[in-house]
Amino acid sequence: MITRNRTFRGALTMAVVVGVAALALPVTAAERAPAAEAAPARAATHVVASSDVAASSDARLRALLHRLTGVGGGPGALVEVRDRRGSTVLTDGVADVTSRTPVHRDSRFRIGSMTKTFTATAVLRLVEEGRVRLDAPVERYLPGVVRGHGNDGRAITVRQLLQHTSGLPDFLDHLDPKEIVKDPLTHRDPLDLVDIALAHPPEFDPGCGWSYTNTGYLLAGMIIERVTGRTYAEEIQRSVIEPLGLEETSVPYDDPEIPGPHPRGYVRPGDGAPLLDITAVNPSVGGAAGGIISSGSDVNRFLGALLGGELLQPAQLREMMRTTPTGSADGRRYGLGLESKPLPRGGRYWGHTGDFLGYETAAGATADGRQATVMVNLGPGSSDAQSDGIQDTIETALARRR
């Protein structure tokens, strides 16, 4: 799920615990395989092009991946690291706990909230074309849509949607997780999801705080569609995927399948419980906030091109990278669909994290041309240690050539 924080993941895990006997999850024999079986003894390394990566640095990454797939961890993990010299892929664990198939180096997976960076880029391309204004009210593009319980699209700007400063409630805070789990193949209309949020008062007045909300990105997708006459998926395809040749990236509408090689996605209903396969899920519950499927290679290519000025003009890229504090103790700041976070040994990196049913992901890039993407095929049901380990892996990968 494109989660706001770890709290929702915990709630969804509990929903699975409560309803596992009755709910219709698309499961396989994986539900009979204990989680502890999912960790093989060693990692695989795939060097795609020559690189001057130090052996000790790769060893640290292998150790971090192996920790992600250890006891209580996910079945499998992948990290792809890229710079101007080439890329390196490391994998650990298995893509399928039944067949014991290793994680494929070209794996596709659901990237969850990393979708927001794609969506924000598509909006900023429309800003370049003069079709959207960042500081225009949402009402201009979606008249009458944002209304009720103190929420007012006349007072909220497009910029505030993209930067999570709108004050709008997050629909995921008010969507019963059991509704998702009991019928993961159901299509969910974005307006219906927005209306779930708008039945509740705002968290603060527009522009007077910061709070992560998926609702804003559903509205951003609706703005894209109203302005262009195309679906947000078609516009992301036109403005981002096709120009970069991202052949392993797709923006599905209703299709619950993941094309190409991919690990199965799992949830863990509780401590010590067997894993449940939830690979097949309707992506409409994520939509423009979290529905994209991609690969480590494509995400790295996207972030490198974005920061390198291949997708946006300098003025729009500056707007995207104008950040506001999030209140996080780790120094994380948020721009327009793009996070900024300090590296432990100095400097900052840009990227995003993502959760969707069956997967937890993160990606980051530095201004000097390094990118890294990490995937674990478990969520919800992962521990806080998994999220922390993913962040450690990203930061180690980005710092290793400094």
Side-chain angles (χ1 to χ4, degrees), residues 9 14 77 85 87 120 129 141 166 175 200 235 255 305 339:
R9 290 211 305 268
M14 288 305 299
R85 294 184 177 91
S87 63
E129 296 169 8
Y141 308 104
S166 67
L175 176 62
H200 302 272
E235 185 61 20
D255 189 350
E339 294 178 334

Side-chain angles (χ1 to χ4, degrees), residues 35-59:
E37 291 181 0
R42 50 189 301 186
T45 304
H46 309 275
V47 179
V48 180
S50 62
S51 179
D52 65 348
V53 179
S56 61
S57 201
D58 270 352

Side-chain angles (χ1 to χ4, degrees), residues 46-80:
H46 309 275
V47 179
V48 180
S50 62
S51 179
D52 65 348
V53 179
S56 61
S57 201
D58 270 352
R60 287 195 297 273
L61 283 177
R62 290 192 193 96
L64 286 166
L65 280 187
H66 199 58
R67 196 170 78 198
L68 287 171
T69 62
V71 175
L78 174 149
V79 58
E80 174 150 336

Side-chain angles (χ1 to χ4, degrees), residues 77-399:
L78 174 149
V79 58
E80 174 150 336
V81 187
R82 180 176 180 267
D83 66 9
R84 293 185 177 91
R85 294 184 177 91
S87 63
T88 301
V89 183
L90 303 175
T91 64
D92 198 291
V94 296
D96 186 320
V97 299
T98 303
S99 68
R100 313 300 297 160
T101 307
V103 176
H104 196 287
R105 59 170 299 276
D106 293 323
S107 289
R108 281 77 154 171
F109 41 87
R110 302 189 191 279
I111 66 172
S113 279
M114 285 197 284
T115 298
K116 292 178 173 67
T117 314
F118 286 78
T119 299
T121 302
V123 171
L124 287 164
R125 290 286 293 264
L126 295 174
V127 171
E128 287 180 0
E129 296 169 8
R131 303 170 76 180
V132 173
R133 286 186 55 204
L134 283 175
D135 295 313
V138 173
E139 181 77 6
R140 175 179 298 182
Y141 308 104
L142 301 174
V145 170
V146 181
R147 286 285 196 281
H149 296 86
N151 301 288
D152 189 346
R154 293 168 296 186
I156 297 169
T157 66
V158 175
R159 182 191 302 276
Q160 289 164 348
L161 294 182
L162 299 180
Q163 198 162 42
H164 302 299
T165 54
S166 67
L168 289 171
D170 190 343
F171 77 87
L172 284 181
D173 287 345
H174 306 286
L175 176 62
D176 186 346
K178 293 191 292 296
E179 294 302 310
I180 303 172
V181 175
K182 75 180 180 182
D183 195 356
L185 302 184
T186 294
H187 172 77
R188 290 175 169 82
D189 185 82
L191 184 56
D192 292 340
L193 296 176
V194 167
D195 285 344
I196 290 173
L198 297 181
H200 302 272
E203 299 198 18
F204 48 79
D205 290 338
C208 294
W210 187 91
S211 184
Y212 193 88
T213 172
N214 290 284
T215 307
Y217 273 80
L218 295 183
L219 290 166
M222 293 166 66
I223 289 172
I224 289 172
E225 295 183 348
R226 184 67 62 91
V227 167
T228 66
R230 292 183 285 268
T231 67
Y232 76 87
E234 291 169 335
E235 185 61 20
I236 290 174
Q237 183 77 27
R238 179 191 77 90
S239 62
V240 179
I241 294 174
E242 289 179 357
L244 296 181
L246 304 181
E247 297 182 353
E248 298 169 355
T249 301
S250 57
V251 192
Y253 178 69
D254 262 338
D255 189 350
E257 303 300 326
I258 300 175
H262 61 274
R264 308 298 298 177
Y266 296 97
V267 300
R268 178 177 288 124
D271 291 342
L275 298 179
L276 296 174
D277 186 330
I278 195 165
T279 309
V281 61
N282 193 309
S284 61
V285 72
I292 287 181
I293 293 167
S294 193
S295 66
S297 176
D298 271 11
V299 170
N300 285 345
R301 166 74 176 121
F302 166 63
L303 285 178
L306 180 62
L307 296 187
E310 294 181 45
L311 288 170
L312 296 175
Q313 295 295 322
Q316 279 67 52
L317 185 57
R318 283 195 300 271
E319 295 289 353
M320 192 177 214
M321 299 174 76
R322 279 177 56 189
T323 60
T324 191
T326 65
S328 174
D330 62 7
R332 190 184 306 266
R333 298 176 65 92
Y334 205 93
L336 305 183
L338 195 62
E339 294 178 334
S340 169
K341 191 169 180 287
L343 283 166
R345 297 183 181 179
R348 300 186 73 87
Y349 70 94
W350 299 86
H352 216 288
T353 57
D355 298 287
F356 202 95
L357 286 168
Y359 304 90
E360 184 173 359
T361 58
T366 61
D368 59 357
R370 290 169 291 131
Q371 305 96 41
T373 297
V374 178
M375 179 280 303
V376 178
N377 58 335
L378 173 65
S382 61
S383 65
D384 288 354
Q386 175 169 301
S387 299
D388 294 340
I390 288 173
Q391 286 301 310
D392 289 346
T393 305
I394 286 286
E395 291 169 12
T396 299
L398 292 177

